[in-house]
Amino acid sequence: MFTDHLGCETLPGARWLAATAQSEAAERWLRERTGLLPVPIGERFDVLYLYEGWAAAALQILRINGRSVGPVLRSVRQQRMGVLVPLGSAEHWTLPNSAVNTKADALTLTCPFPGTYDGPSSLPWSYFPDGSGDLTSTTDLIDALDAHFAALPDGRRPEGASDGATVRSRMLTYSPPPIRPPRESGRDAPR
């Protein structure tokens, strides 16, 4: 039995991912419980990419406050976290230095079997999918980012936050195109 760092079984989360992928490769991935599975973005979730430090702090705030945290992948190479969020909920996300992938991007998320790690080029799970389909609320994530940024000294806040502006207010008034993470080779590579 595969378990996460808290001792929870990871097979239900793997089944949820495989059901999203709906392919022969997904069936093989479930049987072998190893390797990487390309899962289409925009079928059950969108992916919101944030700098690792921001995401880790915000997700910790959510957990401390008893809020739900869904699956999260961590890009070791890019120092980013990919938070799986409800469909369409991050469509207008405009926080600088973040990126969103939706169905319109026609991409897949390359997922390791929960509880395994395929080396530094893979994206290990920081929070495993549990099979429930629960995802991180972007509204809760915005509030947690606000709390995190408010606690930082002015010199460490992201651009535009030193004036006390909240993530929510910046998202309502500031709309440059998001910075996309560097593209890895291949169509199935995470972005």
Side-chain angles (χ1 to χ4, degrees):
M1 172 171 65
F2 283 87
T3 58
D4 67 11
H5 61 285
L6 299 174
C8 300
E9 186 180 359
T10 60
L11 189 55
R15 287 185 182 130
W16 179 77
L17 290 166
T20 304
Q22 296 181 354
S23 67
E24 288 182 28
E27 293 173 20
R28 185 174 53 255
W29 182 75
L30 275 176
R31 273 193 317 274
E32 296 173 2
R33 298 182 183 193
T34 188
L36 301 171
L37 177 67
V39 179
I41 295 172
E43 297 298 323
R44 291 190 184 193
F45 56 83
D46 289 338
V47 183
L48 173 59
Y49 292 95
L50 296 167
Y51 282 130
E52 186 175 13
W54 297 356
L59 295 169
Q60 183 177 14
I61 289 168
L62 291 177
R63 290 187 61 117
I64 288 169
N65 291 315
R67 307 305 280 178
S68 178
V69 175
V72 179
L73 283 167
R74 184 174 151 248
S75 173
V76 176
R77 189 179 321 156
Q78 297 175 5
Q79 297 182 336
R80 292 185 180 263
M81 293 179 116
V83 181
L84 278 58
V85 297
L87 292 171
S89 66
E91 199 170 321
H92 301 290
W93 189 274
T94 59
L95 183 65
N97 300 313
S98 62
V100 178
N101 287 145
T102 66
K103 186 172 188 142
D105 297 313
L107 297 171
T108 58
L109 186 65
T110 305
C111 301
F113 194 91
T116 65
Y117 178 65
D118 287 338
S121 63
S122 75
L123 300 173
W125 292 102
S126 291
Y127 293 89
F128 299 110
D130 62 8
S132 69
D134 288 344
L135 302 170
T136 303
S137 159
T138 52
T139 301
D140 289 347
L141 190 57
I142 289 168
D143 292 341
L145 285 166
D146 273 342
H148 169 63
F149 293 152
L152 293 175
D154 284 349
R156 294 195 55 219
R157 292 182 187 171
E159 185 177 325
S162 60
D163 59 2
T166 64
V167 173
R168 185 175 309 285
S169 68
R170 280 196 314 280
M171 288 182 62
L172 293 174
T173 61
Y174 180 74
S175 57
I179 296 173
R180 298 277 181 187
R183 186 176 181 118
E184 294 183 25
S185 62
R187 179 171 163 26
D188 292 339
R191 288 182 73 189

